[in-house]
Amino acid sequence: MFKDLDPILHSQLRLAVVSLLISVKEAEFTFLKEKTNATAGNLSVQIQKLKDAGYIDVVKQFKDNYPQTICRITKHGIKAFEDYVNSLQSYLGPK
Amino acid sequence: MDDKHLSEKESLALITQMINKAKDSYHDTGIGAMMWGAVIAICSLVKLSEIQFGYNLPFDIYWLTLLAIIPQIFITIREKKERKVKSYDDRYMDYIWLAFGISIALLIFIVNVIFQNFHPMAVSFRELGGEPGFKLMEYITPLFLLLYGMPTFITGAACRFKPMLWGGLFCWACCIITLFTTFRVDLLLTALSAVMAWFIPGLIMEKEYRLYKKETQMNV
């Protein structure tokens, strides 16, 4: 039986952000922007949606007088990502 | 990239692509590696020239290694500030190199204690007309090379950076060779090990870092 794909993760930019964050401990907003080639505005919106879902933590601080946004995946986010990948695999055929 | 919905295949491809991008996200500047490679090589070669040409500097050249800690602190702080991403390996790598530094300091201390006890014995033996066949100095270098190889090999293997992996192996090969060579050859091989393990990998890292910077600036 097919599981429903998580709608939060089943979107190109949000999935790209979570896939990047799953591989690292934490990343700056500029890093995510550079790797996804997204616009700052769109990325901010998608990050906020991931944060609201509890999938990522966002820390805003100042570094050398400039604002800095740091994102890291939460345990809840890791679990959601694992479930999402398992669901994808069940869609694409038996393991 | 925008907020479009994906097919299952596209999703898996995107996940793989992003994980690979994240893996390739950190480039060391190589400055620290180059500096330590140069410092150790210079210390060993100056010591060799002191023995070869029979002169003594007014200070022990190996104090240079202590002095090199100061710029290393600045390099580390600057590199950490510049990094936009922290990986899970970073902390382990820091601890490995810190453990290496502590081990080298302890080894220097141990060697000095052994020398203090061994030297009077050797002097008495010579005064009694004996020919000391055992020269302690010739057995010290392999211990240092053994330690040089360890963090270098681990870093090379963990970061999948072959020049450092080969550099670590080169240190261990020299560790065995120096067991059977004179102190002068030991110093030469130590200098060569430092160049192979740190200086050359550092140069390669620096070149890759500059390329990476250029590419990212072009993409912005």
Side-chain angles (χ1 to χ4, degrees):
Chain A
M1 196 177 127
F2 293 132
K3 293 175 195 171
D4 285 336
L5 289 171
D6 183 342
I8 299 286
L9 291 179
H10 200 56
S11 118
Q12 193 182 21
L13 188 48
R14 287 195 294 269
L15 183 61
V17 169
V18 171
S19 303
L20 284 168
L21 291 177
I22 203 100
S23 327
V24 298
K25 199 177 164 196
E26 59 182 43
E28 278 184 31
F29 180 85
T30 47
F31 171 83
L32 298 174
K33 186 173 167 285
E34 180 189 304
K35 296 292 172 187
T36 56
N37 291 323
T39 61
N42 192 11
L43 186 59
S44 292
V45 172
Q46 303 313 324
I47 282 178
Q48 190 57 45
K49 282 185 185 173
L50 288 168
K51 191 189 168 198
D52 292 343
Y55 289 0
I56 64 170
D57 273 336
V58 179
V59 178
K60 288 180 193 270
Q61 59 189 34
F62 279 90
K63 182 177 150 187
D64 297 333
N65 293 326
Y66 287 98
Q68 183 193 39
T69 305
I70 293 172
C71 304
R72 63 175 75 96
I73 198 158
T74 60
K75 279 183 186 170
H76 184 49
I78 294 170
K79 175 80 176 57
F81 182 77
E82 284 170 354
D83 289 345
Y84 179 78
V85 173
N86 288 336
S87 305
L88 277 183
Q89 282 171 340
S90 66
Y91 270 94
L92 290 169
K95 279 181 232 177
Chain B
M1 193 174 283
D2 36 52
D3 194 23
K4 74 167 186 182
H5 282 263
L6 304 156
S7 73
E8 289 74 25
K9 271 192 177 169
E10 281 173 333
S11 292
L12 271 184
L14 178 66
I15 291 168
T16 314
Q17 186 198 356
M18 285 301 138
I19 288 174
N20 285 333
K21 272 193 178 182
K23 267 188 203 163
D24 193 32
S25 61
Y26 177 62
H27 291 81
D28 197 295
T29 60
I31 296 169
M34 274 197 289
M35 184 192 73
W36 283 105
V39 165
I40 301 295
I42 288 167
C43 288
S44 305
L45 292 176
V46 168
K47 195 53 135 183
L48 176 65
S49 80
E50 278 185 334
I51 296 167
Q52 188 68 32
F53 303 112
Y55 72 93
N56 277 316
L57 287 175
F59 58 92
D60 190 343
I61 189 66
Y62 283 102
W63 283 109
L64 206 62
T65 55
L66 274 184
L67 217 64
I69 293 172
I70 300 164
Q72 180 60 54
I73 291 168
F74 285 105
I75 291 168
T76 308
I77 292 170
R78 206 190 69 181
E79 282 183 353
K80 286 213 188 281
K81 260 187 173 182
E82 272 183 14
R83 291 173 75 163
K84 291 177 181 172
V85 60
K86 273 187 194 167
S87 75
Y88 289 103
D89 299 338
D90 290 347
R91 215 168 50 141
Y92 302 116
M93 284 298 151
D94 288 349
Y95 281 130
I96 285 167
W97 284 97
L98 180 67
F100 168 70
I102 293 169
S103 303
I104 289 285
L106 282 173
L107 184 60
I108 292 167
F109 176 70
I110 292 165
V111 166
N112 277 313
V113 170
I114 293 172
F115 258 104
Q116 276 171 12
N117 290 312
F118 180 79
H119 189 65
M121 270 197 314
V123 170
S124 311
F125 189 69
R126 227 174 283 142
E127 279 170 0
L128 289 168
E131 193 63 44
F134 179 76
K135 289 176 182 163
L136 189 65
M137 269 317 271
E138 292 184 2
Y139 296 93
I140 299 303
T141 311
L143 299 175
F144 281 95
L145 288 170
L146 178 74
L147 284 184
Y148 290 176
M150 215 177 292
T152 313
F153 182 82
I154 294 172
T155 306
C159 301
R160 285 171 293 166
F161 184 55
K162 278 188 181 165
M164 240 177 182
L165 191 132
W166 285 109
L169 289 173
F170 187 83
C171 288
W172 285 335
C174 287
C175 161
I176 297 167
I177 296 167
T178 49
L179 263 177
F180 307 103
T181 52
T182 62
F183 188 53
R184 288 171 201 212
V185 178
D186 291 359
L187 286 169
L188 205 61
L189 286 175
T190 304
L192 201 59
S193 295
V195 169
M196 294 296 285
W198 302 319
F199 192 77
I200 292 175
L203 274 178
I204 298 168
M205 273 191 263
E206 203 262 345
K207 199 180 160 194
E208 284 179 359
Y209 178 75
R210 267 193 290 153
L211 257 171
Y212 172 73
K213 273 268 179 190
K214 209 174 156 187
E215 274 172 20
T216 49
Q217 274 168 1
M218 274 168 72
N219 288 337
V220 170

